Amino acid sequence: MYTSKRLAVVLSLTWVAGCSSGGGSGDPVADNGNDELPAVSDVIMAPAGEITHYGAVTVADDAGQASDLVGSFYRLASGVSAEFMTDMLAGNTAMCQVQDDGVIDFEEISVVYVPSVPGINATAVSAGEALVLSGPDGTYATLEEQPAGGFLFYDLPSMSMLMDGPVPTGLLLDVPGSAEIPAIVEAAVPEVTTLANAEFGGENTVSSSSTFTWDASDDPGAMIRIFTSTAGGFFLEDGVTVSCVAPDTGSFTFPADVRRDLGADFIGSAPLMSRIVVNPVQVDSTVVYVIRESFR
């Protein structure tokens, strides 16, 4: 269910304006009118505020068929703005990270999307014994707390599998809560259009100048996740990974700062691409991202 390696040491964190809309006073950076490269802001940290904990529960499909579930919850090293946390994955701007292919942590090894908060360290915490996803026909899945190898996450019980077929519509998430995470009752799992015709302009590899294309959707707030790492990077001393989430406009190229950090000689493995739609649910000082993800 999970990949064996990803990475953690952040070399750069870049925000870029969404290609589909101009910037406003609340945007990290305004649209510069350049159709080839979006405007790029300075490297930033999440602004300070009242949010001290966050979590993510992701329900994924592969080509329309239910494929994966995972949940995780965290205590932030310092408080973050509630507005920033709820808007971070609203589909208005793109966010990229270029990272050293070295240290492994849970945010990097999960196949499904687990967001991180830019510039803020986080510690995994419990949200209770089990998470429950329910639909019109009753309980769809129960995710149990599973500490493993220093990680703490929620997954299907051992020897359990998802039911065959598409992810049901109308799913609701219940989180029991703990001393650190408040209880959350019937948080809606968003709907997502299956990602189709995702291409990256190459047969097996990605370059810093690659153009990623796909069939755009009308899903409100949808974003496209793109992940690739240096081909053979596990065996190289200077391997890197690049991970982006971008507005669902139908095409994306790495912004100038990311191209610079990757270098002209970057050769990445065939990318992981998916569409995500996020429902951020705030309870007190906690934000939980309820995520639907569709892989190509």
Side-chain angles (χ1 to χ4, degrees), residues 155-264:
D155 196 0
L156 292 172
S158 298
M159 308 304 293
S160 296
M161 298 180 65
L162 286 171
M163 291 181 285
D164 292 337
V167 174
T169 60
L171 287 179
L172 300 172
L173 169 69
D174 289 300
V175 178
S178 67
E180 301 236 29
I181 303 294
I184 294 175
V185 178
E186 295 188 345
V189 177
E191 304 300 325
V192 69
T193 300
T194 300
L195 181 63
N197 295 320
E199 303 290 346
F200 54 96
E203 294 184 1
N204 297 302
T205 60
V206 169
S207 72
S208 60
S209 60
S210 290
T211 296
F212 302 88
T213 60
W214 62 91
D215 291 347
S217 77
D218 293 324
D219 296 348
M223 303 189 80
I224 299 299
R225 175 189 176 206
I226 297 167
F227 178 94
T228 183
S229 58
T230 304
F234 186 85
F235 304 100
L236 303 175
E237 293 184 0
D238 57 353
V240 297
T241 287
V242 58
S243 177
C244 296
V245 286
D248 188 6
T249 60
S251 67
F252 178 74
T253 57
F254 294 128
D257 280 9
V258 172
R259 294 187 188 187
R260 180 198 63 212
D261 290 343
L262 291 175

Side-chain angles (χ1 to χ4, degrees), residues 2 6 54-59 68-74 88-89 95 97 99 105-117 122 124 152-154 225 227 243 245 272 274 276 278 289 291 293 295:
Y2 304 107
R6 300 269 173 97
Y54 84 102
V57 178
T58 304
V59 182
D68 214 345
L69 302 168
V70 74
S72 57
F73 298 83
Y74 302 92
M88 183 173 73
L89 298 170
M95 181 174 66
Q97 298 181 57
Q99 301 174 310
D105 65 13
F106 183 62
E107 291 98 331
E108 307 303 339
I109 66 172
S110 174
V111 171
V112 300
Y113 183 54
V114 178
S116 59
V117 180
L152 179 64
F153 59 96
Y154 289 80
R225 175 189 176 206
F227 178 94
S243 177
V245 286
L272 177 155
S274 64
I276 61 170
V278 182
Y289 298 111
I291 302 170
E293 183 168 22
F295 289 90

Side-chain angles (χ1 to χ4, degrees), residues 46-53 76-81 120:
E50 64 272 33
I51 300 301
T52 59
H53 294 73
L76 294 165
S78 58
V80 173
S81 158
I120 308 295

Side-chain angles (χ1 to χ4, degrees), residues 19 47 59 100 144 153 171 221 238 271 284 286 290:
C19 298
V59 182
D100 176 38
E144 295 182 350
F153 59 96
L171 287 179
D238 57 353
D284 300 327
T286 296
V290 187

